[in-house]
């Protein structure tokens, strides 16, 4: 690329730079075109809503460097068609229905021990009939929730109160992850002296029922009256890094090892596109993928405005899910075992170095080496991981999007925010930031998302005084104040105690970071904003709901 201009040395410095930049841009562009073409011919993907849509998502930008909409973050659980995820095997995954409640109630009614309730009796939280009343109440109150299992109610703070804890999932979340709520209910005797819920407390109000039996422990029944100790962590999360076990099992394994490439410190969309290419190749080759947990977060997502290294993969993504569905091993563990083996044995571990992305996955299929080590030392953009999946390879390698979910720790924040609004809220996604400033490509976006216009347009789509969550990349908190005259406005920053230094999230991420606090960065904000947005009843999008500008700039729609 560069030879063309090397002759004119002194005068042409700038010219050379310009030309090589132009060459580079043209090159990247042609690569992308090629990718688009290649991917369009991919075989149909059983679990993607549409592969072409994704291709567009990652390739269409004026600058051709993955600078697409960074105010939304889609991962596996958002892309999968719900039918494609089979319910996990665990029996506790079956939803509690009215029919089930009735059946248990009948058993109680018919049992000899059962006696007629008398209206002057005190509320007895241990009475199964109290729980039936609460279960029925919940089914009616929270239509978007699937209730999975209840713990027996315990006494609340007053004689007629019971605290109950349960697990649930949200119908809008396509993963099978479970969350936990515990609320306080005031019970009264209704007609014919049956239990009736008089009042239900808000999200996480039933603190006496807070402790929950987990799959790691047995019933940790809370004694009523005694305040339960604070929940220290979500005991459901097990994303510890597994070790490889014995040396022999190391030697028997087959690994695909990508050393760090030019993708490092690029945008997160680029990171995902590359990471999933590597993981996809490993799956194609039936090998264990060696992964680097240390992520470099690009400057755009950092409050400091600089690239930051040393972020843990698990801050953002669900490693527990990943290790369940894919064969992966942590780089440090892997290198340790490799060295150990080579030191301890005369016969070294056979490995094959691959120095160019032009060696295709199909060519490596027959290779029997224990380790296939892809190196990415060529100058950019020859050193991007995703280049491995271009061209012919795109027909064979499918990016395993289903393996990548958002971190459960972030999802707990999402659940908390939507739970506090009782899952009864509407949301608007307001894209501003760089796009609003770029009048050339988005001529009306700025004015269409101005406070006055927003209010006027939202009035037509969202009922007054609804809870309105605003997912946005607008940095100025008070920008949306005008909407407060019509709606109960919620912004991510209203919930900052959920990641503040007294939060569960803070404690848990600190544990991953050797006891040092972790900053709640811009990428986490986008992840949470996205998922809250997806849980709204009415969802208003910026493009085509608020503005007629095209999502990707003039003349792209
Ligand atoms: C491409 O991106 C660079 C840096 O991100 C920016 O300076 C430049 O203006 C962009 N080009 C266009 C056409 O937007
Ligand atoms: C159980 O008994 C109560 C009152 O004693 C009655 O309201 C309820 O319908 C009965 N449930 C079933 C399933 O028979
Ligand atoms: C409350 O209900 C449980 C279960 O039905 C029963 O064993 C217990 O004796 C009741 N307690 C009171 C004070 O009635
Ligand atoms: C719950 O409260 C009732 C009276 O309101 C009392 O009889 C019972 O012992 C309490 N249960 C527990 C487990 O403390
Ligand atoms: C209460 O009992 C009466 C007579 O047994 C019955 O007709 C009525 O339907 C009952 N009400 C409820 C809500 O179960
Ligand atoms: C909990 O402990 C009881 C007895 O201590 C035992 O019978 C039961 O199986 C245990 N449950 C679980 C889920 O381990
Ligand atoms: C966080 O950890 C500290 C010490 O380990 C503990 O005192 C505190 O209660 C924890 N906070 C939460 C919300 O779990
Ligand atoms: C967490 O998962 C690993 C396997 O990935 C398992 O070996 C370990 O026992 C689990 N830890 C707990 C506490 O269940
Ligand atoms: C994949 O590799 C595992 C062991 O590494 C082996 O047991 C299995 O048969 C292989 N499957 C295929 C389809 O090659
Ligand atoms: C938590 O943050 C607040 C405000 O930033 C600070 O005053 C407080 O000392 C911090 N607490 C801990 C335990 O770090
Ligand atoms: C937003 O626009 C889409 C497509 O034009 C439309 O289907 C949807 O109903 C609109 N949303 C609202 C809340 O009006």
């Amino acid at each position: 690329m560069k030879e063309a201009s090397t002759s004119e040395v002194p005068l042409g410095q700038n010219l050379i730079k310009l030309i090589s930049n132009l060459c580079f841009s043209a090159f990247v562009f042609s690569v992308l075109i090629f990718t688009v073409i290649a991917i369009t011919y991919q075989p149909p993907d059983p679990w993607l809503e549409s592969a072409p849509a994704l291709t567009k998502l990652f390739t269409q930008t004026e600058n051709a460097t993955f600078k697409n909409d960074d105010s939304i973050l889609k991962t596996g659980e958002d892309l999968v068609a719900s039918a494609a995820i089979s319910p996990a095997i665990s029996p506790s995954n079956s939803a509690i229905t009215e029919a089930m409640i009735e059946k248990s109630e009948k058993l109680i009614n018919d049992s000899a021990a059962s006696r007629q309730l008398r209206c002057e009796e005190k509320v007895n939280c241990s009475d199964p009939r109290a729980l039936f009343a609460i279960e029925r109440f919940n089914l009616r109150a929270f239509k978007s929730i699937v209730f999975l299992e209840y713990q027996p109610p315990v006494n609340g703070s007053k004689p007629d109160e019971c605290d109950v804890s349960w697990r649930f999932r949200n119908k809008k979340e396509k993963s099978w992850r479970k969350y936990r709520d515990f609320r306080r209910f005031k019970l009264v005797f209704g007609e014919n002296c049956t239990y009736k819920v008089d009042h239900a407390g808000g999200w996480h109000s039933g603190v006496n029922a807070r402790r929950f039996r987990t799959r790691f422990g047995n019933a940790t029944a809370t004694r009523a009256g005694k305040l339960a100790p604070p929940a220290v962590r979500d005991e459901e999360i097990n994303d510890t890094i597994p070790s490889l076990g014995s040396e022999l099992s190391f030697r028997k394994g087959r690994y695909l090892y990508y050393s760090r490439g030019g993708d490092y410190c690029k945008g997160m969309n680029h990171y995902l596109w590359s990471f999933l290419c590597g993981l996809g190749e490993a799956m194609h080759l039936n090998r264990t993928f060696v992964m680097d947990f240390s992520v470099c977060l690009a400057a755009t997502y950092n409050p400091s405005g600089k690239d930051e290294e040393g972020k843990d993969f698990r801050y953002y993504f669900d490693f527990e899910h990943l290790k369940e569905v894919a064969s992966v091993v942590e780089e440090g563990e892997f290198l340790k075992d490799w060295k150990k083996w080579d030191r301890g044995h005369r016969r070294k571990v056979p490995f094959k170095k691959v120095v160019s992305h032009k060696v295709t996955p199909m060519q490596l299929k027959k290779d029997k080496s224990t380790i296939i080590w892809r190196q990415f030392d060529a100058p950019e953009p020859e050193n991007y991981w995703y280049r491995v999946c271009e061209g012919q390879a795109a027909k064979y390698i499918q990016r395993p999007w289903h393996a990548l979910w958002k971190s459960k720790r972030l999802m707990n924040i999402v659940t908390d925010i939507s739970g506090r609004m009782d899952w009864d809220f509407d949301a608007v996604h307001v894209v501003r930031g760089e796009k609003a400033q770029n009048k050339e490509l988005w001529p009306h976006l700025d004015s269409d998302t101005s406070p006055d216009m927003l209010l006027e347009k939202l009035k037509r789509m969202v009922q007054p005084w609804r809870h309105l969550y605003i997912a946005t990349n607008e940095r100025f908190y008070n920008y949306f104040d005008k909407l407060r005259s019509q709606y109960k406005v919620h912004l991510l920053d209203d919930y900052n105690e959920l990641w503040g230094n007294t939060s569960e999230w803070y404690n848990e991420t600190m544990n991953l970071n050797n006891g040092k606090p972790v900053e709640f960065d811009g990428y986490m904000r986008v992840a949470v904003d996205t998922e809250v947005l997806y849980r709204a009843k009415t969802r208003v999008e910026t493009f085509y709901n608020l503005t007629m500008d095209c999502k990707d700039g003039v003349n792209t729609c």
Side-chain angles (χ1 to χ4, degrees):
M1 266 185 296
K2 283 181 187 156
E3 295 88 273
S5 47
T6 38
S7 51
E8 47 214 86
V9 181
L11 183 124
Q13 286 291 356
N14 285 334
L15 193 64
I16 291 169
K17 222 170 162 182
L18 183 71
I19 290 176
S20 63
N21 275 347
L22 280 175
C23 284
F24 176 73
S25 301
F27 173 75
V28 171
F29 191 65
S30 62
V31 161
L32 282 168
I33 300 257
F34 189 56
T35 311
V36 173
I37 294 170
I39 291 173
T40 316
Y41 291 118
Q42 240 180 5
D45 230 342
W47 41 259
L48 278 187
E49 269 168 355
S50 71
L54 263 180
T55 306
K56 264 174 79 187
L57 177 73
F58 284 99
T59 49
Q60 63 189 197
T61 55
E62 83 278 14
N63 237 343
T65 49
F66 296 89
K67 270 192 73 189
N68 47 55
D69 188 357
D70 58 0
S71 65
I72 208 90
L73 163 62
K74 285 190 188 180
T75 43
E77 69 264 60
D78 307 315
L79 299 164
V80 179
S82 50
I85 299 189
S86 61
I89 322 95
S90 161
S92 58
N93 273 333
S94 59
I96 289 168
T97 59
E98 176 62 39
M100 282 165 69
I101 301 171
E102 200 156 302
K103 207 168 130 201
S104 331
E105 192 180 43
K106 192 147 192 322
L107 279 176
I108 296 289
N109 279 4
D110 295 349
S111 80
S114 168
R115 54 197 174 78
Q116 204 63 35
L117 282 167
R118 279 173 290 119
C119 293
E120 67 274 17
E121 248 177 297
K122 276 201 190 138
V123 166
N124 176 0
C125 296
S126 313
D127 191 323
R129 288 172 283 198
L131 181 57
F132 297 148
I134 290 167
E135 290 180 352
R136 286 210 169 94
F137 174 86
N138 277 345
L139 277 182
R140 274 198 310 275
F142 305 118
K143 297 249 189 283
S144 59
I145 295 300
V146 177
F147 293 91
L148 297 169
E149 54 180 314
Y150 283 88
Q151 288 293 97
V154 299
N155 286 354
S157 65
K158 296 207 195 84
D160 57 351
E161 287 175 347
C162 300
D163 286 6
V164 193
S165 166
W166 60 84
R167 273 196 237 256
F168 67 92
R169 19 179 320 262
N170 191 306
K171 286 180 188 162
K172 295 202 166 143
E173 177 169 339
K174 289 160 188 167
S175 87
W176 272 86
R177 282 182 298 204
K178 289 180 273 184
Y179 302 90
R180 187 171 65 123
D181 193 6
F182 36 90
R183 292 185 187 232
R184 177 159 292 172
F185 294 87
K186 184 170 186 283
L187 295 178
V188 293
F189 290 104
E191 211 181 331
N192 297 354
C193 300
T194 52
Y195 279 108
K196 215 180 103 193
V197 172
D198 182 61
H199 174 260
W203 172 256
H204 285 196
S205 55
V207 290
N208 290 347
R210 180 187 249 162
R211 302 200 70 191
F212 203 90
R213 186 197 349 220
T214 71
R215 64 177 159 177
F216 306 138
N218 207 323
T220 44
T222 317
R223 208 153 292 136
K226 205 173 108 195
L227 210 71
V232 174
R233 48 188 297 265
D234 182 343
E235 285 148 325
E236 298 232 315
I237 300 176
N238 176 10
D239 59 3
T240 50
I241 295 173
S243 57
L244 281 166
S246 72
E247 284 180 42
L248 204 64
S249 63
F250 171 75
R251 177 64 182 79
K252 279 202 196 120
R254 292 281 177 275
Y255 305 93
L256 177 64
Y257 178 30
Y258 275 35
S259 49
R260 201 171 271 176
D263 322 76
Y264 196 66
C265 295
K266 293 287 189 301
M268 281 303 254
N269 288 334
H270 186 152
Y271 171 79
L272 292 186
W273 195 237
S274 283
F275 172 74
L276 289 174
C277 167
L279 189 63
E281 185 185 24
M283 286 175 157
H284 177 72
L285 298 176
N286 191 23
R287 283 174 176 268
T288 298
F289 189 62
V290 180
M291 66 180 275
D292 182 0
F293 271 74
S294 174
V295 173
C296 174
L297 190 67
T300 46
Y301 294 111
N302 282 310
S304 66
K306 296 198 193 79
D307 292 350
E308 285 191 16
E309 300 185 63
K311 304 280 184 182
D312 195 299
F313 179 85
R314 295 169 292 178
Y315 298 167
Y316 310 106
F317 305 107
D318 186 336
F319 178 59
E320 181 171 18
H321 171 66
L322 178 65
K323 70 183 172 184
E324 270 166 16
V325 300
S327 177
V328 289
V329 60
E330 194 266 330
E331 187 182 21
E333 293 283 327
F334 165 80
L335 292 175
K336 207 172 67 196
D337 281 18
W338 186 1
K339 279 212 194 88
K340 209 157 77 190
W341 178 276
D342 274 359
R343 262 203 311 272
H345 298 79
R346 237 174 334 115
R347 228 173 83 76
K348 306 285 180 230
V349 174
F351 69 91
K352 181 189 174 73
K353 262 191 207 178
V354 181
V355 296
S356 165
H357 67 78
K358 296 197 178 87
V359 179
T360 66
M362 296 75 83
Q363 287 168 295
L364 296 174
K365 185 91 182 163
K366 294 250 153 55
D367 199 292
K368 291 280 180 289
S369 316
T370 300
I371 298 163
I372 292 181
W373 184 3
R374 276 199 186 269
Q375 296 177 328
F376 296 86
D377 296 329
E380 283 193 56
E382 293 290 315
N383 60 355
Y384 292 157
W385 286 10
Y386 72 82
R387 309 277 323 258
V388 170
C389 295
E390 285 173 354
Q392 282 290 314
K395 290 186 197 161
Y396 295 88
I397 296 190
Q398 302 188 354
R399 285 183 171 79
W401 280 97
H402 66 284
L404 200 77
W405 288 355
K406 292 186 181 74
S407 152
K408 175 82 191 299
R409 297 187 181 86
L410 291 176
M411 295 305 288
N412 281 336
I413 293 180
V414 170
T415 304
D416 221 318
I417 294 175
S418 28
R420 285 178 194 204
M421 292 186 274
D422 284 339
W423 295 281
D424 188 16
F425 63 98
D426 299 326
V428 56
H429 179 204
V430 182
V431 178
R432 290 186 49 80
E434 281 175 33
K435 285 190 180 174
Q437 279 160 28
N438 189 335
K439 294 275 189 320
E440 227 168 275
L441 288 168
W442 295 277
H444 309 106
L445 178 61
D446 189 25
S447 62
D448 282 342
T449 56
S450 68
D452 288 312
M453 289 295 276
L454 265 178
L455 184 56
E456 191 174 312
K457 294 198 168 162
L458 282 174
K459 272 184 188 164
R460 286 183 235 141
M461 296 180 265
V462 180
Q463 297 290 312
W465 296 115
R466 290 274 299 160
H467 288 291
L468 179 70
Y469 185 85
I470 304 177
T472 185
N473 57 355
E474 169 60 51
R475 283 283 150 261
F476 180 44
Y477 178 85
N478 293 105
Y479 187 82
F480 301 100
D481 279 355
K482 218 161 201 146
L483 302 182
R484 293 180 197 273
S485 65
Q486 290 282 317
Y487 301 106
K488 295 182 205 143
V489 170
H490 301 257
L491 290 157
L492 184 56
D493 277 323
D494 296 332
Y495 298 92
N496 56 18
E497 94 253 18
L498 294 179
W499 58 85
N501 62 11
T502 54
S503 68
E504 201 174 293
W505 181 88
Y506 184 85
N507 265 13
E508 291 181 1
T509 50
M510 200 154 78
N511 280 339
L512 293 180
N513 196 29
N514 300 321
K516 289 196 291 289
V518 173
E519 184 176 43
F520 192 75
D521 60 50
Y523 197 59
M524 298 168 183
R525 297 179 68 93
V526 174
V528 172
D529 253 2
T530 302
E531 293 299 324
V532 178
L533 180 69
Y534 285 160
R535 277 157 187 68
K537 289 198 166 152
T538 301
R539 195 164 106 204
V540 179
E541 282 295 344
T542 298
F543 295 101
Y544 321 126
N545 284 137
L546 295 176
T547 180
M548 292 321 284
D549 278 359
C550 298
K551 203 170 166 162
D552 305 303
V554 280
N555 300 330
T556 59
C557 56

